[in-house]
Each structure stands twice: as structure tokens, then as C-alpha cells.
């Protein structure tokens, strides 16, 4: 904003007096702590749910299994009883929370429900050896909670559980570290899941049914599909052909970034495209029967040149999106 004011002053659109007033207003305006409080509240809910786990672990011999599972279950039920009393009437559009605590109580109830279900499975084997059922049923419940209470956090948990049911771990860290994408079946599963998630996002927009959920579906679909395809390119023969398969995802990310002015999608779309193109370029240089030192210099020039261009492109795109958004 200050640069904009300085530009307006330099171009003569405003005089020094107006510049001083506007500059003082920007510097002295109240600072919003909305997101700081939201982060603290989400952190608090996570700590409460975690403390239940620690309490159970350290006192399991003295409290007793039945008491522990009862406390967790009743607390979760109490959260959802409160949520059902306070939730507005269902709507296909986004509904506003009835009070500032509503979303956090729903999240706490959901986390405790998962703890409750996991505890029952671990201690009493309520699903026996049908481990798929132990993840699919909670996933279905979480999708229901997400849509009824209009909760994006619970929707993310539901998608993660659904992917776990198909054998894919989908947290930001485990997506890269705990999935064995060296097997064809898991790669195909990852790609199909990506198509399903992106399709679900498209459906929410097309049908106007909780259309604000589309970003969550698109986000999971983009990362899951891109990681699966890149992993296949690195692990399987004819890696370049797998790398070409990522093109539709890159075009999708670029389309979304331009349509919804999302720098996030532009950044990751460019990042995945850069990895795929660089892989093909490096493979091509390795296959050339030429001087290794000369090839190394060419590769170095390629990475330096493309990196500079990518940074300039991202900076100009971010500036353009910021101006279009009127920030």
C-alpha cells in the first residue's frame, strides 16, 4: 500500500497533505488478530485431543479401559449434542457458524470420535481384522459431519481417511515419506484418486452443492496426482512418458490459478512442471554421447536460466494477481 501511495504521489494524483493523511491511516489502523486467535483455538483443540491420548497412555493401568472409553465417547457425544443444537438449518450454500466456538467444538468432537473408534478397535477389535472397514466407516461419518456442519477441517480429515482406506497416506509429510509409489498398483490408485477428488471438486461447483468445498478437493487431487505421477517417472522404465502424463494436472493448476487468482496453485503447478521437464532434460543429456564436462555446463546453464525465469514469472504473476485483487 505504501508503494502505491508513493506511486500516486510521484504521478501527481495526490498531494503531500493527502499522502501524509493516508500514510498515517495505514500505519495507525487497527491490526486484525482474527487469524491469530483462530490458530490458537485450533492449536488448543489439537492439544486437548492429544492430552486425552497421553492421559490414556500414562494411566491405562489405573483408570481402566471401560472408564477411559466412556469418558472419550461421552465427551464426543456432548460436543455433537451442542453442535446439533447450535447448527443453522442445512443449506447447499456456505452457512455461517452460530458463534465463534462452534467450529472448534465440532472439530474437538470429531477428533475424540476418531480416538474413540480407534480405541475400541485396538482394545476390543470391534471390526476384527477388517481394517478397511475400520477406516471406511469413520471416513463416511466424517464426510457426513463435514457437510452437515459445513466444516472444511473435518472434510480434510474425511478425505485423508478415505485415501487411507485405499492404502494411501495423505498427510503433508507422509504423502512423500510413507507411500511406496514404486508399485504400479499404488501409482494407479493415486492417479484414480486424484481424478475422483478433482471430479468431486468440479461437481461441487457445477451443482452448486457446497461449492466452497471445491478448493479442498482440488488441493488434495492436485498434490496426490502429481506426486504419484512424478514417483512413477522416477521409479519405472520410460520415465519421460510418465512425466508427460502430468501435463493435464499442470494445465488444470494453471487454469485454476488464472480463474480464481490463486497464486498457491500457480506456485505448485509450476513446481511440478519444472520437476517433470527437468527430469526429461537431464535424461536427454545423459543419453547424449558427448563430452561429460560440456554436458554438465549445459545442464548448469539450463538450471540457472530456468530458475531465474521461473522466479521472474512468479513475481510478475503474484504482482498481477495482487493488483487484480485490489490489494
Amino acid at each position: 500500500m505504501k508503494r502505491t501511495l508513493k506511486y500516486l504521489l510521484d504521478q501527481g494524483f495526490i498531494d503531500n497533505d493527502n499522502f501524509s493523511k493516508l500514510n498515517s491511516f495505514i500505519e495507525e489502523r487497527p491490526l486484525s488478530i482474527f487469524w491469530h486467535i483462530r490458530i490458537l483455538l485450533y492449536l488448543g483443540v489439537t492439544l486437548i485431543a492429544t492430552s486425552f491420548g497421553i492421559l490414556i497412555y500414562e494411566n491405562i493401568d489405573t483408570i481402566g479401559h471401560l472408564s477411559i472409553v466412556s469418558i472419550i465417547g461421552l465427551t464426543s457425544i456432548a460436543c455433537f449434542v451442542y453442535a446439533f443444537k447450535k447448527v443453522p438449518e442445512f443449506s447447499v450454500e456456505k452457512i455461517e457458524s452460530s458463534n465463534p466456538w462452534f467450529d472448534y467444538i465440532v472439530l474437538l468432537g470429531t477428533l475424540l470420535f476418531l480416538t474413540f473408534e480407534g480405541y475400541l478397535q485396538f482394545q476390543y477389535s470391534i471390526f476384527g481384522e477388517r481394517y478397511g472397514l475400520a477406516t471406511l466407516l469413520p471416513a463416511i461419518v466424517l464426510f457426513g459431519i463435514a457437510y452437515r456442519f459445513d466444516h472444511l477441517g473435518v472434510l480434510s480429515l474425511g478425505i485423508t481417511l478415505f485415501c487411507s482406506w485405499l492404502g494411501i497416506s495423505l498427510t503433508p509429510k507422509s504423502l512423500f515419506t510413507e507411500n511406496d509409489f514404486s508399485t504400479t498398483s499404488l501409482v494407479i490408485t493415486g492417479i484414480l484418486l486424484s481424478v475422483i477428488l478433482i471430479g468431486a471438486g468440479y461437481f461441487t461447483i457445477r451443482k452448486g452443492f457446497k461449492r466452497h468445498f471445491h478448493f479442498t478437493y482440488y488441493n488434495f487431487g492436485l498434490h496426490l496426482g502429481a506426486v504419484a505421477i512424478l514417483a512413477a517417472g522416477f521409479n519405472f522404465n520410460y520415465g519421460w512418458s510418465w512425466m508427460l502424463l502430468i501435463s493435464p494436472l499442470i494445465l488444470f493448476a494453471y487454469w485454476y490459478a488464472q480463474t480464481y487468482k490463486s497464486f498457491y496453485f500457480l506456485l505448485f503447478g509450476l513446481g511440478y512442471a519444472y520437476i517433470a521437464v527437468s527430469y526429461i532434460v537431464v535424461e536427454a543429456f545423459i543419453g547424449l554421447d558427448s563430452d561429460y564436462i560440456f554436458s554438465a555446463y549445459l545442464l548448469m546453464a539450463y538450471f540457472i536460466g530456468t530458475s531465474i525465469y521461473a522466479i521472474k514469472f512468479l513475481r510478475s504473476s503474484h504482482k498481477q494477481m495482487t493488483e487484480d485483487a485490489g490489494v
Side-chain angles (χ1 to χ4, degrees):
M1 288 294 290
K2 286 187 175 180
R3 283 191 299 179
T4 303
L5 281 179
K6 185 69 169 55
Y7 174 78
L8 294 175
L9 178 64
D10 293 340
Q11 296 297 319
F13 292 110
I14 58 175
D15 55 25
N16 288 324
D17 185 46
N18 287 326
F19 174 79
S20 300
K21 290 178 180 177
L22 291 171
N23 193 48
S24 299
F25 171 77
I26 293 172
E27 291 181 345
E28 297 172 2
R29 63 181 175 179
L31 177 65
S32 174
I33 58 172
F34 174 75
W35 288 107
H36 298 78
I37 293 177
R38 281 182 70 90
I39 291 172
L40 287 175
L41 286 172
Y42 275 119
L43 182 62
V45 169
T46 305
L47 289 175
I48 290 173
T50 304
S51 66
F52 265 94
I54 296 174
L55 179 68
I56 292 168
Y57 180 78
E58 293 186 346
N59 300 280
I60 195 166
D61 294 332
T62 56
I63 298 178
H65 296 299
L66 187 59
S67 300
I68 292 171
V69 79
S70 299
I71 292 172
I72 297 173
L74 290 174
T75 308
S76 178
I77 290 172
C79 290
F80 284 116
V81 168
Y82 173 84
F84 272 107
K85 285 184 177 180
K86 298 295 182 180
V87 65
E89 186 178 352
F90 179 79
S91 170
V92 295
E93 302 293 338
K94 183 178 182 180
I95 58 175
E96 299 296 332
S97 302
S98 55
N99 59 64
W101 320 109
F102 181 81
D103 286 345
Y104 309 101
I105 292 175
V106 172
L107 181 61
L108 178 61
T110 302
L111 293 175
L112 291 176
F113 162 73
L114 292 175
T115 305
F116 177 76
E117 188 267 347
Y119 194 93
L120 289 179
Q121 172 62 18
F122 177 79
Q123 187 61 36
Y124 300 107
S125 298
I126 57 172
F127 296 106
E129 295 183 354
R130 293 169 292 182
Y131 300 113
L133 196 61
T135 53
L136 178 61
L137 284 181
I140 294 172
V141 173
L142 261 58
F143 275 111
I145 294 171
Y147 276 86
R148 180 62 189 92
F149 298 112
D150 211 321
H151 203 294
L152 288 172
V154 177
L155 178 66
S156 299
L157 289 173
I159 294 173
T160 304
L161 270 180
F162 179 68
C163 293
S164 299
W165 174 60
L166 293 172
I168 294 179
S169 184
L170 206 57
T171 61
K173 180 182 176 183
S174 62
L175 178 60
F176 295 94
T177 60
E178 298 181 9
N179 292 307
D180 183 12
F181 281 116
S182 61
T183 60
T184 306
S185 60
L186 202 58
V187 168
I188 300 299
T189 303
I191 295 173
L192 289 178
L193 261 177
S194 172
V195 174
I196 292 172
L197 290 172
I198 292 175
Y202 176 78
F203 176 81
T204 61
I205 298 175
R206 183 76 175 177
K207 298 297 181 183
F209 190 81
K210 298 291 183 186
R211 66 178 69 225
H212 56 290
F213 280 3
H214 78 274
F215 177 85
T216 304
Y217 285 115
Y218 282 169
N219 186 34
F220 278 103
L222 171 66
H223 291 301
L224 179 59
V227 170
I229 292 172
L230 290 177
F234 287 124
N235 290 308
F236 300 158
N237 294 327
Y238 305 105
W240 61 269
S241 61
W242 284 97
M243 293 301 181
L244 293 178
L245 279 180
I246 205 172
S247 302
L249 274 177
I250 303 305
L251 292 175
F252 161 73
Y254 183 76
W255 165 81
Y256 186 88
Q258 294 299 321
T259 304
Y260 293 91
K261 307 302 176 190
S262 171
F263 182 73
Y264 173 84
F265 266 75
L266 184 67
L267 176 65
F268 279 98
L270 180 63
Y272 289 131
Y274 189 76
I275 294 172
V277 172
S278 297
Y279 173 86
I280 295 174
V281 170
V282 172
E283 284 288 299
F285 271 100
I286 292 175
L288 291 176
D289 186 16
S290 59
D291 183 23
Y292 290 119
I293 296 180
F294 179 69
S295 297
Y297 277 119
L298 284 180
L299 278 176
M300 191 181 300
Y302 161 78
F303 281 112
I304 292 174
T306 53
S307 298
I308 293 173
Y309 176 77
I311 292 171
K312 286 185 175 179
F313 174 73
L314 288 174
R315 288 191 63 181
S316 63
S317 298
H318 183 266
K319 182 180 179 182
Q320 185 63 46
M321 288 181 178
T322 303
E323 290 177 355
D324 291 344
V327 179

